[in-house]
Amino acid sequence: MEETVLSVRRLSKSFGRKQALHHVSFDCQAGRIVGLIGANGAGKTTIMKAILSLIKSQGDITINGQASTFNHHAALADVGALIEYPGIYPFLSGRDHLKLFARPTADKVQRIQTVIRDLHLAPYIDRRVKGYSLGMRQKMGIALALVNQPRLVILDEPMNGLDPQATKDLRELIKKKQAQGTTFLISSHILGELQKLAEDLIVIDHGRVVHQTTMQELLARNQHFLVLTTDQDLRAAGILAENGYLVTAHAPIRVQLRAADTVAAVLKTLTSNGVSIEDVQHEDGDFEQSILDMLRE
């Protein structure tokens, strides 16, 4: 049985008369990358702040088997986080920040050097942070979240301000840390990046969990299409429609494949009616569209 690193039960939060979270419950299992997905204002950051005891909330939060509340949160010692913007001091260098936040254990210097190497911070780590670009600051914030090698890492929009190379580097680092047993809870509006990372998905809408699934299950639910080019597309589309196939476009022909449909049967239907097939391609439904459809439902 998988070990539960983070358990959230009946989490609720109100700001004045506005209820931001409604009895949110979910788990994060050890060594998994969990994606928190929802529109702006859905409650993703509020959930993360509540877990980290940055705001008061109602409900039960357990981290590594230990209850964590706003007033008693010792369990957070084994949690790293980057929420919204990195909390950094402009007149300190990047290295000074890491020395300040790194736990004073025997391997402190080694941990600092490791995170500098992993995030490619060496070219500017000894410069004052006030001169850092947005991307440099973001990487600094991620470094602070990772420097103590926590079991659970919570990242809110970690790709903000990162260029394509830095985004790829961060993705590879997260996967490397996951392979070593680290659990990640990540929110991102860049769904394409989340698709490359997340294994488990929690979909939030208006402060409620509307769906929990795995990336594998969600992609399996995606629609599959056959895209065809023939010597007489309009006639071919008509033939397929007459034979009960779901034709969604005509030039080129796009056929939605349902469970009972096979590629061989589609092609045979056309060739037996004298249609020559010039090109055949497969196309899967879009991950982002699947999420939007889920929220619409």
Side-chain angles (χ1 to χ4, degrees), residues 10-59:
R10 302 174 301 281
L11 186 65
S12 296
K13 173 64 182 175
S14 294
F15 295 99
R17 293 184 178 180
K18 177 178 170 55
Q19 189 163 356
L21 300 179
H22 303 261
H23 306 290
V24 169
S25 296
F26 64 88
D27 293 329
C28 295
Q29 307 299 335
R32 302 285 286 183
I33 300 174
V34 183
L36 197 58
I37 298 175
N40 288 341
K44 304 186 300 297
T45 300
T46 304
I47 290 169
M48 290 179 158
K49 285 182 175 180
I51 293 169
L52 294 166
S53 293
L54 297 175
I55 55 174
K56 281 187 176 181
S57 59
Q58 293 76 49

Side-chain angles (χ1 to χ4, degrees), residues 127-140:
R127 284 160 44 189
R128 288 183 178 182
V129 171
K130 70 172 186 174
Y132 282 16
S133 67
L134 175 62
M136 290 175 183
R137 286 169 178 258
Q138 188 73 0
K139 288 171 74 173
M140 193 68 241

Side-chain angles (χ1 to χ4, degrees), residues 71-278:
N71 294 315
H72 300 91
H73 45 257
L76 293 176
D78 205 18
V79 179
L82 172 61
I83 304 295
E84 293 182 324
Y85 303 103
I88 50 184
Y89 304 101
F91 292 100
L92 292 181
S93 71
R95 192 183 301 274
D96 289 337
H97 279 84
L98 292 171
K99 288 179 179 177
L100 186 63
F101 283 90
R103 272 200 293 266
T105 55
D107 63 344
K108 176 178 175 177
V109 173
Q110 182 183 343
R111 280 186 283 112
I112 290 173
Q113 285 304 115
T114 298
V115 81
I116 290 171
R117 183 192 68 235
D118 286 346
L119 284 160
H120 308 290
L121 303 176
Y124 50 86
I125 193 65
D126 292 306
R127 284 160 44 189
R128 288 183 178 182
V129 171
K130 70 172 186 174
Y132 282 16
S133 67
L134 175 62
M136 290 175 183
R137 286 169 178 258
Q138 188 73 0
K139 288 171 74 173
M140 193 68 241
I142 294 164
L144 295 174
L146 297 177
V147 70
N148 289 317
Q149 298 174 344
R151 289 194 66 202
L152 173 63
V153 178
I154 297 175
L155 300 175
D156 186 20
E157 301 289 351
M159 277 70 176
N160 268 2
L162 299 186
D163 61 32
Q165 184 60 52
T167 298
K168 182 175 182 289
D169 291 343
L170 177 58
R171 189 194 317 133
E172 291 175 352
L173 178 58
I174 289 172
K175 288 183 176 180
K176 174 185 169 185
K177 293 290 184 185
Q178 178 209 14
Q180 296 168 353
T182 307
T183 303
F184 287 87
L185 178 63
I186 302 174
S187 85
S188 178
H189 68 279
I190 309 172
L191 294 183
E193 278 304 320
L194 213 50
Q195 181 179 356
K196 297 172 185 174
L197 275 173
E199 299 167 291
D200 303 317
L201 298 173
I202 302 160
V203 184
I204 307 291
D205 190 37
H206 292 92
R208 291 181 171 86
V209 175
V210 295
H211 207 79
Q212 294 186 65
T213 186
T214 65
M215 183 66 73
Q216 189 174 7
E217 287 171 354
L218 181 66
L219 295 177
R221 286 177 44 180
N222 270 357
Q223 296 172 343
H224 302 281
F225 299 91
L226 199 61
V227 182
L228 304 165
T229 305
T230 72
D231 61 342
Q232 37 189 326
D233 284 352
L234 287 176
R235 177 169 173 262
I239 291 168
L240 290 172
E242 287 167 10
N243 281 271
Y245 292 105
L246 188 56
V247 179
T248 61
H250 293 79
I253 303 160
R254 200 161 174 263
V255 182
Q256 183 179 330
L257 293 177
R258 293 160 296 193
D261 298 332
T262 65
V263 176
V266 173
L267 300 182
K268 186 178 179 181
T269 300
L270 293 177
T271 54
S272 64
N273 281 276
V275 176
S276 295
I277 298 162
E278 297 173 353

Side-chain angles (χ1 to χ4, degrees), residues 278-295:
E278 297 173 353
D279 188 50
V280 181
Q281 293 182 26
H282 286 270
E283 184 180 290
D284 288 325
D286 183 71
F287 170 66
E288 294 184 11
Q289 191 59 50
S290 297
I291 295 295
L292 292 172
D293 291 343
M294 192 180 292
L295 290 171

Side-chain angles (χ1 to χ4, degrees), residues 58-74:
Q58 293 76 49
D60 299 313
I61 297 166
T62 306
I63 299 169
N64 294 322
Q66 187 176 353
S68 182
T69 67
F70 184 77
N71 294 315
H72 300 91
H73 45 257

